[in-house]
Amino acid sequence: MTHTPTAAPPRRTAWSEGVDRARAAATTEPGRLRIIGAVLAALVIAFGAVTAWEMSERTSAADSIVDRSQPLSRDAADIYRSLADANTTAASGFLAGGEEKRSVRLRYEKDIAEASRKLAKAAAGSSGSVSSTEEITRLNERLAVYTGLIETARANNRQGLPLGGAYLRHANDMMQNELLESADRLYRAETARLDRDYDEAKGWPYFATATGLLALGFLAWAQRRNYLRTNRVFNHGLVAATAACGVVLLWLVAGHSVARAQLTDSYEHGARSLQVLNKARIASLQARGDENLTLVARGAVTETVGGRTMDAYEVGYQAKMETLVGTDPGKPAPGSLLGEAAELADDPAGGNPVQAAAKSVSRWDDKHREARAADDGGNYDGALADVIGERDSTGNWFDKVDDSLAQALGHEQSEFRQAANDGRGALTGLPLGAAVLAVLGAAGAILGIGRRLSEYR
């Protein structure tokens, strides 16, 4: 008889042998417990990691609101205001002729210095924004040209040369069409960044919440399974893991809810009010500049409105006043800037300065009408006294408007900072705390399962 050797079985890979062992282990209670322990630990760690990640992003956004984006937005508004006030002050000094007051000159120089300082600060803070960097560069370049035109206008004015008025109008056109346009774009860019930070800071942490609920659900299932198989009510390790996850989830929901509420309050009663008040202050500055240039140009710049030829600067003054208070300066309309600022003010400290500004605007406009009547009647000196005089002039009432709006801005800035800091404070420690508690929870879950495994040894 011949013996036919049987073929050797094919060699198995380490991977396939490992899979078979795992499958066989899963059919035993110790194997199932190990799998449950691994899944529990992974879920708890994932919950802590996702919570730490999402809340770190929200904490960073809240920090940016308080320390970066809102201050940059405020600085951009200050740049616009300083430039507009410098332009207005230069026109006021020009109207005084060769005897420009020292206080007017110092105010102009202070505005230019403030704008330059804020531009340098904005350049340092907005390095990550290409559009903001471009606007800041453009402003720095054109500001030097503008101040040169103003100095040329002053020099001609001191000599009594009519050419000074042309230089001043050219400088004003550059300010309105180039410098202030760039400053406005810079302000819009920084305000948009502030809005994005608010959206990110207030966004609900859906992934962390879902992961936390999943981890708690699986922990509850594991403990119920343990009770049904052993008739033991509690497993200390699993209870500790459940408590850790519950604390993190409660901290997450409560902390973010408080932060969200405070940040919303800081926006509604702080950031929004600041934006409206800044616009109101700018509109008043533009109106004052147009008022001064009406007397400088003396009808040299006109435009057609409704079939009538009118002084272009007077048309501009009326348009800015309508934006500021509406058609009736004595009572700010609901859609006007001062009307909106009054609606947003949530306490007397914020509302009273707005009301004072509205009353001053009404007196300013009354005096402006007197000045226009005097100028149209050929009394230029009388109109000049009504506009730049020492007492009861439109300049006096404009200064009162500006002071009231500055007071309102200071109050709203304080309100914003307090609410925003409270919102940021509600998130303090949450990312680190979630990570630490997750590690402790995972350790508890492993120890709890390990306790059950020891019963099979």
Side-chain angles (χ1 to χ4, degrees), residues 95 294-295 298 367-388:
L95 285 173
T294 302
L295 292 178
R298 306 290 303 274
K367 200 66 182 177
H368 174 82
R369 294 176 191 276
E370 293 179 18
R372 294 312 313 139
D375 190 30
D376 293 340
N379 185 8
Y380 178 78
D381 291 337
L384 195 62
D386 285 336
V387 172
I388 63 170

